[in-house]
Amino acid sequence: MADNQTPIVSIRGLKKAFGDNIVLHDINLDVRRGEKVVVLGPSGSGKSTMLRCINSLEDVTGGTITVDGVAITDPKVDINKVREHLGMVFQRFNLWPHKSVLENVMLAQRVVLGKSESDARTRALELLRMVGLADKAEAYPASLSGGQQQRVAIARALAMEPKVMLFDEPTSALDPELVGEVLSVMTKLAESGMTMIVVTHEIGFAREVADRVIFMDGGYIVEEGHPSEILVNPKEERTRTFLKRVL
C-alpha cells in the first residue's frame, strides 16, 4: 500500500454521456501514489469509458479529473503534456506493424521525450528484458503471439516513464494459455511500486495484487474496498450476483 496519501488521480463528479445514453453517473474516485486499483464489473458498466476519460481519449460531459495536480478536464491544459505521465495498455495491442519490436518501444521516446537514438535504444532494450522479450527486439509484431505483443505494448507504455499505468482489459483478447505471461509482467510492475488502474476480469490478479477493488455497474461505483472485503464478503447484492457468475 502506498505511504503517500496525496492522490495522484482524483475524480470528482465525473459524468459521461454519448447523446442521450449516460455511461458514467457522478463518479468519485481517488487513487494514491503507488496504489494498485482493480476495476471489476460487467460489460457496459462504464469501466473502460472511465479509463478513457482519465487518459483524455474521451471528453467528459461533467465533473473534473486531476492527474498529479493538473486538472486535465480544464480546456486550457495541454493534454499531450499530461498524457506523457499516463501509460495506457489496451485490449488490442495497437503496435506499429511495419516497425520492429525495438522500434515500437523506441519511437515515442524519440518523438515525444526527445531522447537520442542511443538513449532510446538502451532504454527500450532494458524494458524488453524486463518483459522477457529481449530476444525478439528485431522481430516484427506479426511474428509474435498475442501475449508477446501485449508485453511489447506494456514495454512501450513504460518507455514514456509514466507516473500512472492504465490497463484496459489487457488479457481479454488473449488465448487462455497466454494470459499468465502478461499477468506476470503486470505483477512485477505492481511490485516495483507503479501506480496502476486495471480494468480486468482476472479475479486472481485482483485478489493477489490489488490494494483496492472497485465494482462498477450501470455507470456507477457500486462498492469498493480491500480485495478481501469485495471478493469474499461484498455488501451489495449486485456485487454478489456478479461474483457468483465469474468465480
Side-chain angles (χ1 to χ4, degrees):
M1 187 75 75
D3 295 326
N4 190 336
Q5 297 302 304
T6 308
I8 190 165
V9 177
S10 188
I11 300 173
R12 289 290 174 273
L14 175 63
K15 294 183 178 69
K16 176 63 184 175
F18 296 99
D20 293 334
N21 180 24
I22 301 172
V23 181
L24 295 173
H25 302 261
D26 196 28
I27 298 290
N28 295 290
L29 177 66
D30 285 337
V31 178
R32 296 187 300 280
R33 292 169 199 278
E35 194 175 17
K36 280 46 108 177
V37 175
V38 169
V39 186
L40 302 175
S43 297
S45 59
K47 312 179 301 289
S48 295
T49 301
M50 181 177 74
L51 277 198
R52 291 174 67 83
C53 287
I54 295 170
N55 203 30
S56 296
L57 293 170
E58 298 286 358
D59 293 328
V60 308
T61 306
T64 60
I65 302 173
T66 305
V67 176
D68 202 22
V70 177
I72 65 167
T73 39
D74 181 339
K76 297 190 286 292
V77 162
D78 178 354
I79 205 57
N80 290 321
K81 292 303 288 179
V82 175
R83 275 209 196 111
E84 288 175 20
H85 303 305
L86 291 163
M88 181 115 180
V89 177
F90 300 87
Q91 285 183 35
R92 297 286 167 186
F93 326 117
N94 296 356
L95 299 177
W96 299 104
H98 58 291
K99 294 192 178 295
S100 71
V101 164
L102 185 65
E103 288 166 336
N104 263 281
V105 183
M106 286 175 63
L107 184 64
Q109 296 184 70
R110 301 273 288 127
V111 174
V112 181
L113 300 183
K115 285 189 178 182
S116 69
E117 181 152 354
S118 69
D119 284 353
R121 173 181 289 270
T122 299
R123 180 63 177 149
L125 287 169
E126 201 176 279
L127 289 165
L128 289 172
R129 271 194 296 277
M130 189 204 116
V131 300
L133 289 172
D135 59 328
K136 299 290 186 185
E138 301 306 327
Y140 283 80
S143 70
L144 303 181
S145 71
Q148 289 171 328
Q149 289 187 60
Q150 193 60 296
R151 286 189 279 152
V152 174
I154 293 171
R156 182 180 60 180
L158 289 172
M160 296 301 293
E161 296 160 20
K163 294 175 179 172
V164 182
M165 282 286 283
L166 309 173
F167 292 86
D168 187 10
E169 302 201 20
T171 59
S172 66
L174 301 179
D175 291 333
E177 68 268 23
L178 302 177
V179 167
E181 65 191 57
V182 173
L183 293 180
S184 168
V185 167
M186 291 170 62
T187 301
K188 212 186 316 181
L189 186 59
E191 289 165 353
S192 77
M194 175 64 74
T195 308
M196 297 165 65
I197 306 174
V198 183
V199 169
T200 185
H201 292 295
E202 299 293 337
I203 303 293
F205 178 83
R207 189 182 289 115
E208 289 164 33
V209 176
D211 295 311
R212 188 159 38 125
V213 171
I214 288 167
F215 176 69
M216 290 182 69
D217 188 37
Y220 293 92
I221 291 178
V222 176
E223 68 177 307
E224 59 181 293
H226 190 270
S228 62
E229 298 170 64
I230 303 300
L231 300 177
V232 178
N233 192 24
K235 295 185 182 72
E236 300 295 329
E237 181 58 37
R238 182 66 191 92
T239 317
R240 286 197 287 273
T241 306
F242 172 78
L243 289 171
K244 270 181 203 151
R245 287 187 183 142
V246 297
L247 284 174

